[in-house]
Amino acid sequence: MTTFEGSSRRSRGLVLHGGASWTQAPYPALVADRAGGVVEVNAAAAALFPGAIGGARLRDVAPAWLAEAHRCATEEGGAGRTGAVRGRHRELTLEAHPTAGDNGDVVWWLVDDTDRVVAETALHDERERTAFLADASTRLLASLNVDRCMEVAVRMAAEHLADAALLVAPAAGKRHPMAASVRGSSVVHTIGRIDPSAVPGLSEALQGFPPVPSRWIDPSALPDWAVPEGLDGPVGSVVVTPLPGHGVPAGALILLRRGETPAFDASEEVFARVFAARAGVALSAARLYTEQTSITATLMLELLPPKLRQVHGVEFAGGYRASRDTERVGGDFYDVHPSTSPDQETFAVLGDVCGKGLAAAVLTGKIRNTLQALLPLADDHGNLLRRLNGALINNRHARYATLVLASVRREGRTTRLRLTSAGHPRPLIVRHTGQVEEADTSGTLIGALPEVSARTAHVELGPGETCLLYTDGVTEAKGGPLGDVLFGEERLRAALAECAGLPAEAVVERLQMLASDWVGTGPHDDIALVAITAPHGTHLTAVDGHTPGRYTA
């Protein structure tokens, strides 16, 4: 066969499938026979594969992936069963589409797919980064604990951004709290006395200034504390970026890569700053929450009801339940101020401030502090209430309160009480027989009128008898089958009668349990109880007179 005749045969085969002008196509195109030999190429393919001339082996002049695709196409009996294939050639990404010729030859049309692949890769990377940032935000904000937030930040940074990460928090005194993580290892928390200026850009990052480019940082000059333990081999590249917070910097993040790992490029540095911004917001929120919690806990110590105990042979027990289970303080309160000696009166108070929640608790704290300052006047309840009323009238809070005061002293086997109500439910006394009495005291509420008046009742308790001070949250608690029936004073009296002879703490626990069962999960007001009990008999300790003694017959 002459060269001319071969060309004519080949051309006839290609006219049917590829068109007469295929050699002029702008896309590279080449024809290979069943044996994998190059039959003919157009000018674009010749420029792409300089060695692709007639008679050359395809595997010698074209990429291996194209030669393998041609082998599969011819072995399967035609290119119709082989779809487009994609592969790299030099810096290009090519997509090859096969077309079968008349006599088993295959025409491969090649399309430069580099730009599309680059775009798809960029889109895929951006989606992964977006998903990572969303996950990071969720995990970072899942906890308002500072140490936990630092731990999550460095672990995620080491897993996704670098080989190791070190988070340096603002100095606490002269030491910096730090958290370090190496990919695949646990997080290590330390507090060290470091010199931030030893790492280029770290001092500035801790002050919230923009980061320095990673190319300005010499990895070999890093101090030992800046390289997390467990990072094998020399450090190849470093990124230092600030952690911006709410108003003040939340710290700085140091990212490190090993020498064999590709160095940080510009886009990765930008992405590291985006991650650091989210980590900084989470850390700042955690620190703010910690500070507020600490302040709240300090203030709460002054607002919480005190733990009551036996004082000079008299039992005191208290119980409190806020109107909401999520709150610890409210408008009901009680206090007991022990006397310095057994022959002096111990002063107790139980009150109910108008309102609920923290706003009422603030006024509660003011009343408790004012009463403590007025303790020298406790021998005259009327005078004490007038002074307290004057303090509340002049206060900016437009709230009022009801109170019941009790001055208690034990004389032998008898416990004597002076009880004064200021607009409050009258105290109840349960005798050892189970009989329940009401103290004959009354008065006007505090903080509403310029003048107040009150009548004091004098009560004596024998061994085993109890005086109960309570707020209307007990009697007005709604429950029952439909949740709309008041607990009421009659139920309270009946329950108290069953407590005859019980210790003060048992009386409070019993009444609290009944009230809680009555309201169930329904809404209710604040509930406060104080039981003052004359024990059957007590052997006072010789130490301080406050420790509960032995009960005797």
Side-chain angles (χ1 to χ4, degrees), residues 339-366:
S339 61
T340 57
S341 63
D343 59 342
Q344 294 179 336
E345 292 179 320
T346 292
F347 182 74
V349 59
L350 180 139
D352 183 357
V353 172
C354 172
K356 300 178 182 179
L358 185 59
V362 171
L363 184 56
T364 293
K366 179 178 178 63

Side-chain angles (χ1 to χ4, degrees), residues 224-244:
D224 292 340
W225 58 263
V227 181
E229 186 175 352
L231 183 64
D232 301 328
V235 178
S237 59
V238 182
V239 165
V240 177
T241 183
L243 298 172

Side-chain angles (χ1 to χ4, degrees), residues 141-208:
L141 295 173
S143 173
L144 290 175
N145 179 278
V146 175
D147 288 343
R148 174 61 179 162
C149 193
M150 293 175 64
E151 182 177 325
V152 171
V154 294
R155 178 179 287 118
M156 295 194 75
E159 289 177 355
H160 300 278
L161 305 179
D163 295 319
L166 175 68
L167 193 155
V168 182
K174 295 184 178 181
R175 297 178 179 272
H176 288 266
M178 296 181 289
S181 177
V182 177
R183 183 180 299 175
S185 302
S186 58
V187 177
V188 177
H189 291 271
T190 57
I191 299 179
R193 199 167 197 171
I194 63 172
D195 179 13
S197 62
V199 178
L202 181 56
S203 294
E204 293 78 6
L206 288 171
Q207 299 177 55

Side-chain angles (χ1 to χ4, degrees), residues 30 38 48-52 56-68 88-89 110:
L30 62 83
V38 176
L48 189 63
F49 307 124
R57 306 296 299 174
L58 185 63
R59 64 172 179 266
D60 296 332
V61 298
W65 57 268
L66 181 58
E68 178 63 18
R88 297 284 298 175
H89 177 63
L110 302 173

Side-chain angles (χ1 to χ4, degrees), residues 76 89 109 115 134 210 256 264 296 302 366 400 406 459 477 525 550 553:
E76 291 175 1
H89 177 63
W109 304 89
D115 292 340
L256 306 99
F264 293 98
T296 301
E302 296 298 322
K366 179 178 178 63
Y400 59 87
V459 175
D525 201 352
R550 299 193 308 269

